Every structure is written in C-alpha cells, then in structure tokens.
Amino acid sequence: MQLAGLGNTAAPGGGFHARWQASNEVAQIKLRIAGGLLAMFVMSALHLWGSLGPYDKPLPLVGLYVTGSLVWWGLVRLGVAHLRARLLVAAVLEHGMFACVFASTGEQGALLLGVPIFTSLGHGLRFGPGMAIFNSIMAASFMAVAFHASPYWSSMPGLAMGMCVAVLSVPIYGTLLNRRLLAQHREAEQRAAAWESASKTDPLTGLANRVALMEALERVHGTQRASDRVCAVFYVDLDGFKAVNDQAGHAAGDEVLVQVAQALRDAVRADDVVARLGGDEFAILTRGLAHAEGAQAVADKVRHALGQIRVAGHEKLRVGGSIGACLLPDADITSPREAVRVADELMLAIKREGKGAVRIKVGVRAA
C-alpha cells in the first residue's frame, strides 16, 4: 500500500522536510502519552470506586502503551529507522495492544472505542490519507480478531461488527473530509489573491493601476524621509497618441499602449513600479536613486524607449512623452497623493508649452 505523504525519509537531521515530519511524529507521541495517562487515571479511579467491573487486566496494558510511546519518542530522538518504518511498527503494536484490551474486557472495553478511531485519524491528518487507511484497516482487523476470541463480544456480533465498521470508516472519512476542506480553503485563498491582484492591475497592459501605485507610494513615503537616497515619481503622458487612434484605429492604439507598457518596464529596474493611470497616462515610481541627477537619466531612458515604438502599417506615426517628475523626500510634500499631483502639474505645464520635454521638481529636505 502506498502511504500518501510519506517518503523514505530519515529521522531528524535529514533536512527541513524530515524535521517537519519528525515534529509531527513527536506531536503524535505526546498526544498518545497524554491520552494513555488520562485513561490510566480514569480506569484506576473506576477500579478503586468499584464501578463498571474490574479493570485489573486493561490497566497494565494501558500502562504498557504509555511505556511504548516513551520508547517510540526515544527512537525518534535517536533517529533510529526511517519515519515510515517507525509509523508502521507503532501502528501494528498499538492497535494490537488495544485489540488485547477489547478481548480481555466486556462492556468496559467500549469506553476505549474512541482510542483506535482517534489514533488512525491523527495519523491521517498528520501524515496523509494513506496512513489513515492503513491504521483503520489494521485497527478494524485486530478488533475483529479480538471480538471473535472474546466470549462476551461473540455473543453480540451485531454490536461488534458496528464497532469494527466505525473504527474502519470514521478515520478515513475524517481525513478525506479534512483534505477536501483544506483544498477548498486553498482555492478560496487563491481566488481572493487573484481578485485582489486584478483590482490592482490594468487589464490591458498588465501594469499596476492607480490603486497599486498609491499603495506603493504609501509604503515608501514614510521611510524615504529618513533615507539619504532619492525616490522619484514620474508622470508620463504620451504625445501623438490621439493621432494613432484617429488614423490607425483603436485596436492599433491598444497595441501601442501595450508596447508603451513594455518599453517603460524595460527602461527602469525590476523593483520599480510602473503604472497605467488611465488613457495614455502612465506613472513610474523609482526608489533608491543615489542622487537627483539619476531622475533625469531615468526620464531620458523613458523618452528614448518611447521614441522606438512603431505603429504597424503607419510608419509616419510616432509617439513620445511629456514627463513631469517629483523627487522625494521633499519638505513641501506631505502625502503620496500630493507627490502625484505635483508631477501631474509639471507634465501639464510641458504640454501647454509644446510637449516632448522633462521637468523635475527637486525635493527640499526638511531642516
């Protein structure tokens, strides 16, 4: 039987996955020790109280179960055998032991029915459905043998069969249900992430939109004041784009916008933010410039990149860019929204004066 989720993995020291699996194994052992001690306490109390019959036989077996769990813990700490081998041997021993408990008791053994169920379920939740199936089959098989050997349970075959069915089916169902719920949860998280990404992405160009740009500005604005390096906000408006739409059509215009988006990405660094604000207006947020002159160099690269764009079938059509830029930190600018507004106003001033130029407001540091 292939046990899902289990590789031929050594115990601790064999890498992150091995350490993670070993920590799961130790958690299982601690749970068994705690459960065994609780069972010993309850059975001892009932035995002293004289209720529900004698517990002389099962009590030592439960004590042996706790002792075996401590030995198992030691094997894990020492790295003896592979994880799969330890789990398989532990499953055989503990289910076999509980079968002995059922065989040696009458109705009192029914109080421990939850133990093999939760043992198998715990293995399934931690180590995959394969372990749940293996443990459930092992537990049900041992219990069937025990019930057949017990005069008490042999006299009630229907009840014994029902208990075996419960031990076999409940852990498998619980593990598969948990697996499905986890898968649905991951799908919901992925859909939520996709929706959030779509709400911050321009659908035509794949660039960030205004919302994403403002969020990026918010993140850098506070830290930039205490930095010696320069942050720049560029507002780019295309020159000649209206002629592209009028003469080549809107489909060609959309293609040009896609080309512009790629040109802007290529003109800046990978960690800079390029956004389309709407229509033929774009923005760039660059971070960590060594000096203010670096902003002029970025603007020149952008203008050169835009000048390389061609409109298919219309060789005479060209696009360019009017660029306004605002450098941060700036004592006169108190918010990211104001930085974008200043860059926009500088761009509009260029448009009024003849287009195709760059104007940069150099930040004034606070005293």
Side-chain angles (χ1 to χ4, degrees):
M1 175 182 296
Q2 178 65 35
L3 302 182
L6 291 179
N8 195 23
T9 309
F16 171 78
H17 182 70
R19 291 192 297 273
W20 177 79
Q21 291 282 27
S23 68
N24 272 342
E25 194 176 1
V26 170
Q28 285 287 88
I29 295 169
K30 290 180 178 179
L31 182 62
R32 279 157 174 70
I33 293 173
L37 292 175
L38 178 61
M40 290 177 64
F41 173 78
V42 172
M43 294 170 71
S44 298
L46 291 174
H47 177 61
L48 293 174
W49 185 23
S51 175
L52 297 178
Y55 283 89
D56 301 277
K57 293 181 179 179
L59 185 57
L61 290 173
V62 178
L64 182 61
Y65 172 73
V66 174
T67 303
S69 297
L70 292 171
V71 173
W72 182 11
W73 196 349
L75 296 178
V76 174
R77 299 293 294 179
L78 294 174
V80 177
H82 291 295
L83 171 68
R84 179 185 297 178
R86 290 198 303 268
L87 292 178
L88 296 182
V89 172
V92 172
L93 292 178
E94 64 186 0
H95 290 307
M97 189 211 68
F98 276 107
C100 293
V101 172
F102 282 109
S104 62
T105 60
E107 62 183 2
Q108 302 89 356
L111 294 174
L112 300 177
L113 179 62
V115 175
I117 291 177
F118 285 110
T119 296
S120 301
L121 182 60
H123 273 295
L125 294 178
R126 290 185 181 276
F127 302 107
M131 280 303 298
I133 295 172
F134 175 82
N135 275 263
S136 298
I137 294 175
M138 187 66 58
S141 300
F142 276 125
M143 285 182 63
V145 173
F147 289 156
H148 180 73
S150 169
Y152 176 82
W153 292 110
S154 295
S155 65
M156 293 185 292
L159 179 58
M161 182 178 295
M163 294 173 67
C164 289
V165 170
V167 169
L168 178 64
S169 61
V170 172
I172 297 175
Y173 173 77
T175 302
L176 294 178
L177 177 61
N178 178 72
R179 190 182 183 91
R180 181 172 183 177
L181 292 175
L182 288 176
Q184 291 176 343
H185 179 68
R186 284 193 294 269
E187 290 175 3
E189 288 183 331
Q190 291 170 356
R191 286 196 298 269
W195 290 336
E196 182 178 6
S197 176
S199 70
K200 299 177 183 179
T201 303
D202 176 61
L204 175 63
T205 63
L207 296 177
N209 61 13
R210 184 181 294 271
V211 173
L213 175 70
M214 298 309 296
E215 287 186 357
L217 264 171
E218 289 283 356
R219 288 193 295 270
V220 303
H221 183 67
T223 58
Q224 200 67 39
R225 290 179 176 275
S227 173
D228 292 332
R229 300 181 74 80
V230 178
C231 169
V233 181
F234 298 85
Y235 205 110
V236 183
D237 186 87
L238 298 183
D239 299 327
F241 182 71
K242 184 176 184 300
V244 173
N245 274 336
D246 291 344
Q247 298 180 36
H250 289 283
D254 287 347
E255 177 59 31
V256 166
L257 292 176
V258 172
Q259 292 184 53
V260 168
Q262 187 60 51
L264 296 181
R265 288 193 191 99
D266 294 340
V268 299
R269 298 166 301 184
D271 59 345
D272 294 330
V273 179
V274 182
R276 183 188 177 204
L277 304 181
D280 61 348
E281 295 183 345
F282 296 81
I284 302 171
L285 170 62
T286 63
R287 292 165 282 192
L289 298 177
H291 44 71
E293 289 78 7
Q296 181 65 50
V298 171
D300 290 341
K301 288 180 65 176
V302 168
R303 293 180 62 204
H304 176 75
L306 294 177
Q308 304 304 307
I309 293 175
R310 298 291 182 267
V311 183
H314 297 77
E315 293 299 323
K316 293 184 179 181
L317 291 177
R318 294 287 189 272
V319 294
S322 298
I323 304 174
C326 174
L327 302 187
L328 300 174
D330 191 331
D332 298 332
I333 295 177
T334 58
S335 70
R337 189 173 299 277
E338 188 174 358
V340 175
R341 179 187 60 78
V342 170
D344 184 20
E345 290 178 350
L346 292 172
M347 180 274 297
L348 291 175
I350 296 171
K351 286 284 192 180
R352 290 192 295 268
E353 296 172 6
K355 305 179 181 181
V358 178
R359 184 166 296 177
I360 301 173
K361 181 182 187 304
V362 178
V364 178
R365 289 187 179 270

